[in-house]
Amino acid sequence: MLAATVAVLPLLADGPVLRDLADTRGITYGTAVTASKLTGAYGELAGEQFGALTPGNEMKWESVEPTRGSYSWSGADRVVDFAEAHGQKVRGHTLVWHSQLPSWLTGGGFPAAELRTLMTDHIAAEAGRYKGRVDYWDVVNEPLDEDGSLRRSLWYEQLGESYIADAFRAARAADPDAKLYVNDYNTDGLGAKSDGLYALVKRLIAQGVPIDGVGFQAHLIIGQVPATLEANLKRFADLGLDVAVTELDIRMALPVTDAGLAQQKAEFARVTTACLAVARCVGVTVWGFADSDSWIPDTFPGQGAATPYDENYVPKPAYTGIAEALGWTGGGDPPPAGSSCSVTHTVQNEWGSGFTAALTVRNTGTAPLDGWKVTWEYGAGQRVTQAWNATVTQSAARVTAVNAAYNAAVPTGGSVTFGLNGSRSGTNPPPTGLLCTTGS
Ligand code: 9MR
């Protein structure tokens, strides 16, 4: 699918918008978030810069089912609602894990059959609640030990390897449209642990287990980003699965140095480039976008600065490294004053002499839109022959689309889509100069 997009008017500063740059490259750039912080500058950056959100803790078992059979969804709801209001995807994290389990579960002494039912009931409840609203689920998190054998977790010890297949089947039954992932750390490069993961995934596929993807957490250390990251992603993709970098951070010893930040910039870029190089890599998620919202300093005393923004939400060199890896050159015209929309152009269908394209206008500002206009150039002789949901005119290569009366209004965070058929002769490169401006 060909896609092109343009970013207009970041809320906090002029500069690149990672989610839109990522869209143009066919991947999604996401972040883990803390639900309670999704206001003010934190909320604006999370909504403006990222195309997907992962709740850092709010969907874990101890958060959603602290007491047996009694669910508490407020934190998880907050993240999902926020993502929908900002046109973002959601990575659900996580349904079955050995950690952050409630004590009623770990200390319950449940016999195997009951434990298995507790697990599948929990999956049914959680994935069922968010059916159609979560794009990807980390169904099973961290099932492996460092040597590549299966982790001796509560689940494995009591239920054996079959807990994994059962968890995926329960998740598929609860939400047939969500992409189902296994997710782990220290599996980013080639090695014993990722070999174990690879073997596990092959067994699951052979058993017909409904698995769609593999998540690579990528909790990395500067100077130690695996050289084999891309090759490793590729071997999993070659099994016919999607892959994603799901929890990227790159930590360093504190205090930070300019050299450390420069190296971190290059390494955030490298991880991003590795995903871009693997066709089935659907995206990268950073594990917290700001150093003030990172787990690293608590867990690794003396280390930190592991994310793309500092404690005060000032972008670090790593942020620029990501943007550059996504194709940002620092050039281009500044966004027109007053604009607060962005637009994506996607070729949906292509045949010998024609094509169909969909264009989605998103309100990236803080106020509702009342009218919008999109302009672009088709550089290879493409001609618009028919359009819907907008008035589209063309003069030579230049195309202008203006809202219809019924879709002039776009709420904050909302989007509208219009479409067209075009004729072509030969190639059909994406449009250039794609720009959205707001109306009255
Ligand atoms: O970011 C999470 C942090 O706030 C929690 O205290 C921690 C508890 O284990 O979990 C962190 O997230 C983890 C994620 O769920 C799974 N992969 C490792 C992450 C970092 O520990």
Side-chain angles (χ1 to χ4, degrees):
M1 196 190 289
L2 292 172
T5 194
V6 66
V8 182
L9 200 66
L11 295 178
L12 296 181
D14 287 341
V17 176
L18 300 184
R19 64 183 287 175
D20 293 335
L21 291 166
D23 275 352
T24 67
R25 305 299 302 270
I27 67 169
T28 301
Y29 228 91
T31 183
V33 290
T34 301
S36 60
K37 296 185 180 175
L38 283 169
T39 57
Y42 182 95
E44 288 183 12
L45 280 174
E48 169 198 295
Q49 290 286 335
F50 298 95
L53 300 184
T54 307
N57 289 297
E58 293 81 353
M59 286 183 165
K60 292 170 179 174
W61 200 314
E62 71 173 7
S63 300
V64 300
E65 199 184 358
T67 308
R68 184 172 179 175
S70 161
Y71 289 88
S72 167
W73 303 112
S74 57
D77 280 355
R78 190 153 177 195
V79 176
V80 175
D81 290 346
F82 183 98
E84 283 178 356
H86 292 82
Q88 296 166 302
K89 295 182 175 169
V90 176
R91 289 199 84 93
H93 176 84
T94 172
L95 295 170
V96 183
W97 191 25
H98 64 275
S99 184
Q100 290 181 274
L101 295 171
S103 54
W104 67 262
L105 181 63
T106 51
F110 297 111
E114 190 175 358
L115 186 67
R116 198 179 292 271
T117 304
L118 282 168
M119 180 187 81
T120 52
D121 283 355
H122 175 84
I123 294 169
E126 182 159 11
R129 177 176 179 85
Y130 297 108
K131 181 171 188 272
R133 302 177 71 197
V134 164
D135 299 86
Y136 317 90
W137 269 113
D138 289 335
V139 177
V140 176
N141 195 40
E142 303 176 1
L144 293 158
D145 263 332
E146 292 306 296
D147 65 359
S149 65
L150 287 172
R151 182 191 287 270
R152 270 84 188 139
S153 66
L154 167 75
W155 307 111
Y156 181 77
E157 292 286 12
Q158 289 275 83
L159 308 179
E161 181 171 332
S162 65
Y163 87 86
I164 298 175
D166 285 353
F168 276 90
R169 292 191 182 106
R172 179 69 95 225
D175 186 353
D177 294 328
K179 298 291 185 196
L180 306 182
Y181 278 63
V182 61
N183 190 51
D184 217 323
Y185 66 94
N186 284 353
T187 49
D188 314 304
L190 298 171
K193 190 170 182 182
S194 68
D195 286 350
L197 180 62
Y198 186 77
L200 168 65
V201 166
K202 276 176 83 165
R203 289 196 297 279
L204 295 173
I205 292 171
Q207 293 161 29
V209 173
I211 180 171
D212 301 303
V214 182
F216 299 85
Q217 292 184 8
H219 292 295
L220 302 173
I221 303 170
I222 62 163
Q224 297 178 39
V225 175
T228 53
L229 173 63
E230 182 184 324
N232 192 42
L233 296 180
K234 185 162 186 322
R235 70 169 168 159
F236 283 90
D238 287 346
L239 293 174
L241 297 176
D242 291 338
V243 296
V245 175
T246 52
E247 303 185 14
L248 175 63
D249 47 29
I250 307 180
R251 61 186 183 263
M252 64 183 82
L254 298 175
V256 297
T257 61
D258 286 348
L261 292 175
Q263 181 163 1
Q264 186 187 47
K265 172 184 178 180
E267 292 179 341
F268 266 95
R270 221 174 94 202
V271 174
T272 304
T273 301
C275 179
L276 290 170
V278 176
R280 293 202 65 153
C281 184
V282 302
V284 176
T285 288
V286 293
W287 203 246
F289 62 86
D291 290 341
S292 45
D293 192 38
S294 169
W295 66 297
I296 296 292
D298 288 342
T299 307
F300 302 98
Q303 298 184 56
T307 80
Y309 289 82
D310 75 9
E311 291 82 358
N312 299 312
Y313 306 131
V314 177
K316 291 157 56 183
Y319 170 86
T320 309
I322 296 168
E324 288 172 353
L326 293 171
W328 186 65
T329 57
D333 295 331
S339 291
S340 51
C341 56
S342 68
V343 58
T344 302
H345 174 287
T346 304
V347 173
Q348 296 184 305
N349 191 15
E350 226 174 33
W351 59 96
S353 59
F355 66 98
T356 301
L359 293 98
T360 297
V361 172
R362 194 173 66 239
N363 181 350
T364 55
T366 49
L369 293 188
D370 181 22
W372 45 266
K373 182 167 90 172
V374 177
T375 52
W376 70 91
E377 301 207 342
Y378 277 143
Q382 302 103 312
R383 301 287 311 172
V384 177
T385 56
Q386 191 187 5
W388 48 95
N389 297 338
T391 303
V392 179
T393 53
Q394 184 168 7
S395 167
R398 183 103 185 128
V399 186
T400 302
V402 177
N403 62 271
Y406 56 84
N407 63 9
V410 187
T412 311
S415 64
V416 298
T417 296
F418 67 97
L420 59 87
N421 284 331
S423 64
R424 68 187 185 107
S425 55
T427 60
N428 189 22
T432 54
L434 184 60
L435 186 70
C436 179
T437 49
T438 57
S440 51

